[in-house]
Amino acid sequence: MTQPAITDRDIILTGDRTTGQLHLGHYVGSLRQRVQLQHVCRQYLLLADAQALTDNMGNYVKVRDNVLQVALDYLAAGIDPDKSVIFIQSLVPELAELASYYLNLVTVARLERNPTIKDEIKLRGFERDIPAGFLTYPAAQAADITAFKATVVPVGADQIPMIEQTNEIVRRFNASVSREILVEARAVVPEQGGRLPGIDGKAKMSKSLGNALPLSSSPDDIRQAVRMMYTDPNHLRVSDPGQVEGNVVFTYLDVFDTDVDRVAEFKAHYQRGGLGDTVIKKHLEEILQELLAPIRARRETYAKDPGAVMDMLKKGTAKAREAAAATLSDVKSAMGLNYF
Amino acid sequence: MTQPAITDRDIILTGDRTTGQLHLGHYVGSLRQRVQLQHVCRQYLLLADAQALTDNMGNYVKVRDNVLQVALDYLAAGIDPDKSVIFIQSLVPELAELASYYLNLVTVARLERNPTIKDEIKLRGFERDIPAGFLTYPAAQAADITAFKATVVPVGADQIPMIEQTNEIVRRFNASVSREILVEARAVVPEQGGRLPGIDGKAKMSKSLGNALPLSSSPDDIRQAVRMMYTDPNHLRVSDPGQVEGNVVFTYLDVFDTDVDRVAEFKAHYQRGGLGDTVIKKHLEEILQELLAPIRARRETYAKDPGAVMDMLKKGTAKAREAAAATLSDVKSAMGLNYF
């Protein structure tokens, strides 16, 4: 799919639920793009604590504590708080207020048809006991996006229906006040390499699946993770021909080894036999150690002064509030809710 | 049903959707009690513009304009803004924020089982196209009630399930943070005379049914309304025996004529024959003219200076925000969302 280029006139809204530290999958899927894009256009990074609570009400301590952890991951990955606005969702009350109006612009039936919500409901085993906040989450997400007049929302392919839902709300609101107050956004789906499999070969790297490599991993964690990595279970002897497809080591080399020719040589050698897992794993480990060492070092430096990080979040949140308040004011004025 | 007395330790939360001027039905069902209760305990009166928008998104001008009209009706009926806190819902954003958290404490299935919501959905003919804001309205109402730590919510009998829903949210929240942050409220249902039939004899006086007598009615409006009032369709000649049950004139006399003995005499006379509709209507009209004259006069006085009324609403809203912000702060702190 060819996507229009992101330009300096775009505004990006993206972020993460604060339910755990970020890992290599986040780095590949979003963080490294954000580090680049912060030089291209304005970028808002949402620490989605309120959204995390929609299915973690009993786990609010975890949600709260991971606000700092995710912020550390951002900084460690190279997000520059002078370039990107990093903010805490629950401290921008304008978002809840916008969402409360958007709830009037979407029907229950439409929410229930949302494929992303359907999948997530299945994934979480909610059945009929779906928290209302979970079903209505698309209205809250529409608030997050429109509050900043975001034009670009980087998402996985499975999240495209959420952006369509946002744009429906945008069009319906603008139509109901006969003015172009809200701005439509486009979903930008990462090309190749957007999703990194877990070290066990499962499609998704995820902390809860126990197959993730956190960005804060120690050299030893990295060594062990690569050692445990899923390769070709039938590649028993070095001399045997081995399979490259579904072999996590090669998938990772495709993503992380910038020397494409060398990877191609490794693959050919592995397929005809004579290349052992130990050798390719050693090679991958070196690349990952090199990638993660500066990230870990930056993380450790920032982690020594959590007060300074929270101060950065306070500033980012103030900037975000200013933008969200301006949109909310436009929205409420358009509905005549500007009494004084 | 015996209900515990309202004392000076209670806090009342009540109010009206701002979709039209208030009428005699509101006066009987709620306004006159509020005028008394404002001397007993703290009372918050909500001008529910945001709530009115849940099913009036296309009609926001009406919703906005009736904020002033309902405020005028309150003042006309004798509500004293120094005793009662009158405020505009959409200007207390803490309510939307509280509601956003409460949405996580109630399931979609539970909302769909709410008898009040079920009835309203049928009444409004929503079928499957229920706006999400309408289905989730009990969470918003729980916010309105709990924000002010209200202990008493005067409601019609059909609204009792809404208060039960609020108390479920209160208990669930307190349990999830293991602290008694939110306060349960009790529904107080008016005894006899809580609901005034329309002048056509239909069970409910309602502007949209065209059977209402607005508080701002002119003497001529009142005269005409009483003239059109439904009596006994079989009472053709003065000498005929007439029926008192379902006869709106007698229902109104029961409510408005303080001279109980005289009403009893009228009824007996009407039942045995010889008392014409013209006579009893003339009597009722005098009573209604006397009741509504000072209300209309006060309304006209206040209406001459809408700026002063809006200023009063501004002050009330500031008071309401202060109370709601304190509760929201307690709620967010209890969930650990107090970062700075």
Side-chain angles (χ1 to χ4, degrees):
Chain A
M1 172 164 50
T2 313
Q3 303 181 101
I6 296 170
T7 72
D8 59 356
R9 284 180 309 186
D10 278 310
I11 297 173
I12 297 175
L13 182 282
T14 180
D16 294 277
R17 289 159 56 98
T18 60
T19 50
Q21 288 189 24
L22 303 187
H23 51 59
L24 206 55
H26 295 107
Y27 182 79
V28 170
S30 56
L31 285 178
R32 60 180 186 177
Q33 288 85 345
R34 294 180 195 170
V35 172
Q36 292 169 348
L37 288 170
Q38 68 185 342
H39 301 290
V40 176
C41 68
R42 177 155 275 242
Q43 179 171 253
Y44 290 93
L45 300 182
L46 171 72
L47 297 170
D49 59 345
Q51 206 263 299
L53 283 173
T54 57
D55 57 340
N56 279 283
M57 200 65 175
N59 248 329
Y60 58 86
V61 176
K62 177 181 84 174
V63 169
R64 181 228 158 86
D65 290 349
N66 277 299
V67 163
L68 176 62
Q69 295 306 317
V70 175
L72 287 172
D73 289 327
Y74 284 180
L75 297 170
I79 300 288
D80 176 353
D82 289 330
K83 295 272 179 196
S84 299
V85 180
I86 310 176
F87 68 100
I88 303 176
Q89 189 182 31
S90 70
L91 297 183
V92 184
E94 288 78 8
L95 301 176
E97 209 179 339
L98 277 175
S100 75
Y101 294 110
Y102 295 169
L103 281 176
N104 304 333
L105 296 169
V106 56
T107 66
V108 175
R110 176 66 183 85
L111 289 171
E112 286 172 345
R113 278 200 310 272
N114 185 313
T116 315
I117 290 289
K118 265 184 168 168
D119 288 351
E120 297 269 347
I121 285 169
K122 208 178 286 173
L123 187 72
R124 288 173 165 77
F126 280 143
E127 313 271 327
R128 290 304 294 153
D129 286 337
I130 313 156
F134 197 83
L135 181 70
T136 58
Y137 162 57
Q141 194 179 54
D144 296 339
I145 295 169
T146 58
F148 305 102
K149 301 197 186 294
T151 55
V152 168
V153 185
V155 289
D158 56 332
Q159 297 283 319
I160 291 179
M162 298 293 266
I163 311 305
E164 285 168 1
Q165 176 85 80
T166 291
N167 288 339
E168 268 179 47
I169 289 174
V170 165
R171 288 190 294 270
R172 203 163 286 187
F173 180 82
N174 289 347
S176 76
V177 299
S178 309
R179 283 166 63 192
E180 298 294 306
I181 302 286
L182 299 176
V183 176
E184 288 191 50
R186 61 189 200 274
V188 172
V189 180
E191 312 278 332
Q192 284 269 318
R195 176 167 279 188
L196 193 69
I199 60 168
D200 58 357
K202 286 203 179 122
K204 194 178 178 179
M205 179 175 276
S206 151
K207 196 192 171 192
S208 57
L209 295 174
N211 64 5
L213 194 59
L215 293 180
S216 62
S217 300
S218 70
D220 201 52
D221 293 337
I222 298 168
R223 194 170 306 124
Q224 294 220 17
V226 176
R227 195 176 300 155
M228 288 167 60
M229 217 167 252
Y230 181 86
T231 57
D232 172 3
N234 299 316
H235 186 240
L236 300 175
R237 280 178 301 253
V238 172
S239 56
D240 286 345
Q243 200 173 322
V244 162
E245 294 75 32
N247 185 320
V248 177
V249 175
F250 284 104
T251 310
Y252 277 42
L253 285 177
D254 279 337
V255 174
F256 296 108
D257 191 343
T258 50
D259 188 340
V260 181
D261 293 339
R262 183 173 54 186
V263 175
E265 271 170 44
F266 271 135
K267 282 184 180 174
H269 193 175
Y270 193 81
Q271 282 169 320
R272 72 177 176 262
L275 182 56
D277 281 7
T278 320
V279 175
I280 54 163
K281 283 191 166 178
K282 178 98 187 81
H283 177 63
L284 175 63
E285 194 208 317
E286 276 166 19
I287 290 171
L288 292 181
Q289 293 287 9
E290 203 179 327
L291 173 73
L292 290 174
I295 293 177
R296 181 176 55 246
R298 274 196 297 269
R299 203 180 193 286
E300 281 167 3
T301 306
Y302 284 114
K304 276 182 198 143
D305 192 355
V309 178
M310 292 311 283
D311 206 51
M312 176 275 289
L313 290 182
K314 197 172 184 173
K315 282 183 195 142
T317 301
K319 272 189 216 168
R321 274 202 81 168
E322 201 180 323
T327 302
L328 177 63
S329 172
D330 289 348
V331 162
K332 289 177 81 173
S333 295
M335 293 189 294
L337 302 180
N338 51 346
Y339 297 95
F340 306 124
Chain B
M1 174 162 49
T2 315
Q3 303 181 101
I6 295 170
T7 73
D8 60 356
R9 285 180 310 186
D10 278 310
I11 297 172
I12 296 175
L13 181 283
T14 182
D16 293 279
R17 290 161 53 99
T18 59
T19 50
Q21 288 190 25
L22 302 187
H23 51 60
L24 207 55
H26 296 106
Y27 182 78
V28 171
S30 56
L31 284 178
R32 60 180 186 177
Q33 289 83 346
R34 295 179 194 170
V35 172
Q36 293 169 346
L37 287 170
Q38 67 185 343
H39 302 289
V40 176
C41 68
R42 175 153 277 241
Q43 178 170 252
Y44 290 93
L45 299 182
L46 171 73
L47 297 170
D49 59 344
Q51 207 261 297
L53 283 173
T54 57
D55 58 339
N56 281 284
M57 200 65 175
N59 248 328
Y60 59 86
V61 176
K62 177 181 83 174
V63 169
R64 181 229 157 86
D65 289 349
N66 276 300
V67 164
L68 176 62
Q69 295 306 317
V70 175
L72 287 171
D73 288 328
Y74 283 179
L75 297 169
I79 300 288
D80 176 353
D82 289 330
K83 296 272 179 198
S84 299
V85 180
I86 310 176
F87 68 100
I88 304 177
Q89 189 181 31
S90 70
L91 297 183
V92 184
E94 289 78 9
L95 300 175
E97 209 179 340
L98 277 174
S100 76
Y101 293 111
Y102 295 170
L103 281 176
N104 304 332
L105 296 169
V106 56
T107 66
V108 175
R110 177 67 182 85
L111 289 170
E112 286 172 346
R113 278 200 311 271
N114 186 312
T116 315
I117 290 289
K118 264 183 168 168
D119 288 351
E120 296 270 348
I121 284 170
K122 207 179 287 173
L123 187 72
R124 288 174 166 76
F126 280 143
E127 313 271 329
R128 291 303 294 153
D129 286 337
I130 312 155
F134 197 83
L135 181 70
T136 59
Y137 161 56
Q141 196 179 53
D144 295 339
I145 295 170
T146 58
F148 305 102
K149 301 197 187 294
T151 55
V152 168
V153 185
V155 290
D158 56 331
Q159 297 282 318
I160 292 178
M162 298 294 266
I163 312 305
E164 285 168 1
Q165 177 85 79
T166 290
N167 288 339
E168 268 180 46
I169 289 173
V170 165
R171 288 191 293 270
R172 202 162 286 188
F173 180 81
N174 289 346
S176 77
V177 299
S178 308
R179 284 164 64 192
E180 298 295 306
I181 302 287
L182 299 176
V183 176
E184 288 191 49
R186 61 188 200 275
V188 172
V189 180
E191 313 279 332
Q192 284 269 323
R195 175 167 281 187
L196 193 70
I199 59 168
D200 57 357
K202 288 208 178 115
K204 194 177 177 179
M205 179 175 276
S206 152
K207 195 190 170 190
S208 56
L209 295 174
N211 63 5
L213 195 58
L215 293 180
S216 60
S217 299
S218 69
D220 202 52
D221 293 336
I222 297 168
R223 193 169 307 122
Q224 295 220 16
V226 175
R227 193 175 301 153
M228 288 166 60
M229 217 168 253
Y230 181 87
T231 55
D232 172 3
N234 299 316
H235 186 239
L236 301 175
R237 280 177 300 254
V238 172
S239 56
D240 288 344
Q243 199 172 321
V244 163
E245 294 75 32
N247 186 319
V248 178
V249 176
F250 284 105
T251 310
Y252 277 41
L253 285 177
D254 279 335
V255 173
F256 296 107
D257 192 344
T258 50
D259 188 339
V260 181
D261 294 339
R262 181 172 54 186
V263 175
E265 271 170 44
F266 270 135
K267 282 183 180 174
H269 193 176
Y270 194 80
Q271 283 170 320
R272 71 176 178 265
L275 181 58
D277 282 5
T278 319
V279 176
I280 53 163
K281 283 191 167 178
K282 178 100 187 81
H283 178 62
L284 175 63
E285 194 208 317
E286 276 166 21
I287 290 172
L288 291 182
Q289 294 286 11
E290 202 178 327
L291 173 72
L292 289 174
I295 293 178
R296 182 177 53 246
R298 274 197 298 269
R299 202 179 193 287
E300 280 167 4
T301 308
Y302 284 114
K304 275 182 199 143
D305 191 356
V309 178
M310 293 311 283
D311 206 49
M312 176 278 287
L313 291 182
K314 196 173 184 175
K315 281 183 197 142
T317 301
K319 272 190 217 168
R321 274 203 80 168
E322 201 181 322
T327 302
L328 177 64
S329 172
D330 289 348
V331 162
K332 290 178 80 173
S333 294
M335 294 189 293
L337 302 179
N338 50 346
Y339 297 96
F340 306 125

